[in-house]
């Protein structure tokens, strides 16, 4: 199908973009990589009257490490995240997620800001973003807001973003010491989207006990979630196979799973348990 008519506007600064969003409130959409929004418009699931293309605002694309955290600009592409030296060294789960998104064209154009603002329940990043305790920084007419990832993803295709706000950056605290992280997924074969994806971030103390565990799951429910019961069951334990299995069997407890042509709800709940365990095992291996 062909999209509804729209006016295309290209601001060159972040301030201009926010002003335009405010001016055309409720009738405008931000365009980043276009790999989710353009298909939605062509299917007429979205019909903005104004498209505000932020793709030419260079101040939105960066990966920086400073003061114990990594800051990733909203316009940073999946390819840049996948290949960033800092992300590969410090946030392996996020680099893993970026590398597994779609295909090379999608990774070259799609952006992290666009992906999290879109909040597809099968998107890859949310699992890592939640497990890494990221903060989403937004900018709107009233200024900046800092939203913890746990408050950002609200429901299917729904975030805490106001209609006149732009995602500006994602901030992720870095952990020192013996730590490892990984993201693994079962992909839907045609699109690459996650039927189930799991990110694990673990910390080991000097005696090899799990002192920190964070697990994010995507693709299973209406939005990504933390496997809280598994995390609690693993903290303070030595990571023996039976301990991991018993704890990860709780990964999807209490979750209402999606049920569609790609996978039944029961299958997704099962995948969550299996992928949580595999992600934790991979994270432990990387921690050495
Ligand atoms: C064939 C194909 C396969 C794919 N496979 C995967 C996959 O395996 N895993 C996966 O996770 N994703 C996948 N995607 C989605 C892809 O990652 C998109 O790039 C991403 O979801 C959206 O990013 P974008 O920059 O393209 O955003 P756009 O399409 O430009 O925008 C998406 C939405 O976010 C809003 N938006 C964009 N940027 C901002 C911002 N800075 N602030 C506020 N709102 C903003 C837009 O208004 C729009 O509502 C796939 C897409 C395609 C076409």
């Amino acid at each position: 199908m062909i999209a509804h008519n729209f006016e295309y506007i290209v601001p060159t600064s972040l301030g201009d973009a926010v002003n335009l969003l405010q001016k055309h409130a409720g009738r405008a959409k931000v365009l980043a990589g276009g790999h989710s929004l353009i298909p939605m418009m062509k299917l007429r699931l979205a019909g903005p009257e104004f498209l505000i293309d932020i793709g030419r605002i260079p101040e939105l694309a960066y990966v920086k490490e400073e003061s114990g955290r990594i800051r990733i600009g909203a316009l940073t592409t999946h390819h840049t995240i996948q290949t960033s030296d800092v992300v590969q060294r410090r946030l392996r789960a996020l680099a893993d997620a970026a590398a597994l998104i779609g295909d090379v064209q999608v990774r070259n154009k799609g952006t992290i800001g666009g992906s999290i603002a879109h909040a597809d329940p099968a998107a890859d990043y949310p699992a890592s973003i939640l497990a890494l305790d990221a903060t989403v920084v937004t900018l709107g007419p009233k200024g900046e807001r800092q939203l913890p990832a746990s408050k950002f993803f609200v429901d299917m295709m729904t975030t805490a973003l106001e209609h006149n706000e732009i995602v500006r950056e994602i901030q992720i605290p870095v952990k020192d010491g013996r730590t490892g992280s990984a993201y693994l997924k079962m992909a839907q074969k045609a699109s690459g989207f996650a039927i189930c994806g799991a990110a694990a971030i673990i910390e080991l103390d000097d005696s090899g006990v799990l002192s920190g565990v964070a697990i994010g799951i995507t693709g299973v429910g209406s939005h990504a979630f933390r496997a809280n019961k598994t995390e609690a069951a693993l903290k303070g334990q030595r990571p023996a196979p039976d301990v991991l299995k018993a704890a990860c069997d709780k990964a999807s407890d209490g979750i209402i799973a999606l049920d569609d042509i790609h996978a039944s709800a029961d299958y997704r709940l099962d995948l969550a348990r299996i992928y949580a365990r595999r992600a934790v095992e991979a994270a432990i291996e990387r921690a050495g």
Side-chain angles (χ1 to χ4, degrees):
M1 268 205 280
I2 296 172
H4 284 288
N5 284 341
F6 56 86
E7 195 175 317
Y8 176 72
I9 316 175
V10 188
T12 49
S13 75
L14 196 50
D16 285 352
V18 171
N19 288 339
L20 283 162
L21 257 190
Q22 175 71 353
K23 181 175 168 196
H24 302 299
R27 298 190 296 153
K29 277 223 159 264
V30 166
L31 178 72
H35 271 63
S36 292
L37 182 55
I38 300 294
M40 297 271 287
M41 289 170 66
K42 286 182 144 185
L43 290 167
R44 300 213 170 184
L45 295 170
E49 290 171 48
F50 299 91
L51 261 196
I52 302 169
D53 185 350
I54 57 170
R56 289 181 219 168
I57 305 179
E59 66 196 272
L60 275 179
Y62 52 84
V63 179
K64 294 178 192 165
E65 182 173 8
E66 58 184 40
S67 317
R69 60 193 178 156
I70 292 172
R71 298 172 53 201
I72 304 177
L75 212 56
T76 309
T77 63
H78 311 325
H79 173 76
T80 301
I81 291 171
Q82 169 189 356
T83 53
S84 154
D85 177 51
V86 174
V87 179
Q88 287 196 358
R89 268 189 299 109
R90 303 292 244 158
L91 310 170
R92 280 289 289 278
L94 196 70
D96 291 348
L100 291 172
I101 292 177
D103 52 36
V104 73
Q105 288 91 341
V106 177
R107 294 195 292 274
N108 276 332
K109 286 298 287 178
T111 67
I112 189 165
S115 177
I116 65 166
H118 190 57
D120 191 304
D124 288 292
Y125 286 132
S128 304
I129 300 248
L130 275 175
L132 287 163
D133 282 325
T135 298
V136 181
V137 182
T138 67
L139 187 68
K142 291 188 199 146
E144 210 172 86
R145 286 200 300 154
Q146 306 227 345
L147 298 164
S150 57
K151 298 244 159 55
F152 184 78
F153 299 107
V154 175
D155 204 346
M156 186 178 288
M157 320 291 260
T158 308
T159 67
L161 205 58
E162 302 282 347
H163 64 269
N164 52 7
E165 278 183 316
I166 288 182
V167 175
R168 180 181 203 155
E169 76 174 16
I170 293 94
Q171 297 180 351
I172 301 173
V174 287
K175 295 184 193 306
D176 289 317
R178 205 171 153 201
T179 172
S181 75
Y183 172 78
L184 301 167
K185 77 167 163 181
M186 171 176 271
Q188 199 272 325
K189 293 289 177 211
S191 67
F193 275 102
I195 291 175
C196 170
I201 289 79
I202 65 103
E203 292 167 81
L204 291 166
D205 70 14
D206 292 342
S207 62
V209 164
L210 286 161
S211 51
V213 184
I215 300 166
I217 311 265
T218 190
V220 174
S222 62
H223 59 98
F225 60 90
R226 285 276 290 262
N228 297 318
K229 284 191 182 170
T230 300
E231 294 175 3
L234 284 176
K235 259 178 228 164
Q237 301 292 324
R238 279 184 195 284
D242 55 334
V243 171
L244 294 184
K245 164 120 185 30
C248 291
D249 277 351
K250 305 175 198 286
S252 48
D253 280 8
I255 298 299
I256 299 171
L258 301 172
D259 192 316
D260 58 29
I261 54 165
H262 304 303
S264 69
D266 282 347
Y267 185 57
R268 279 191 163 91
L269 293 171
D270 219 18
L271 286 177
R273 298 176 196 116
I274 291 164
Y275 274 80
R277 179 163 50 81
R278 289 182 185 172
V280 171
E281 284 168 353
I284 290 170
E285 199 175 315
R286 284 177 174 174

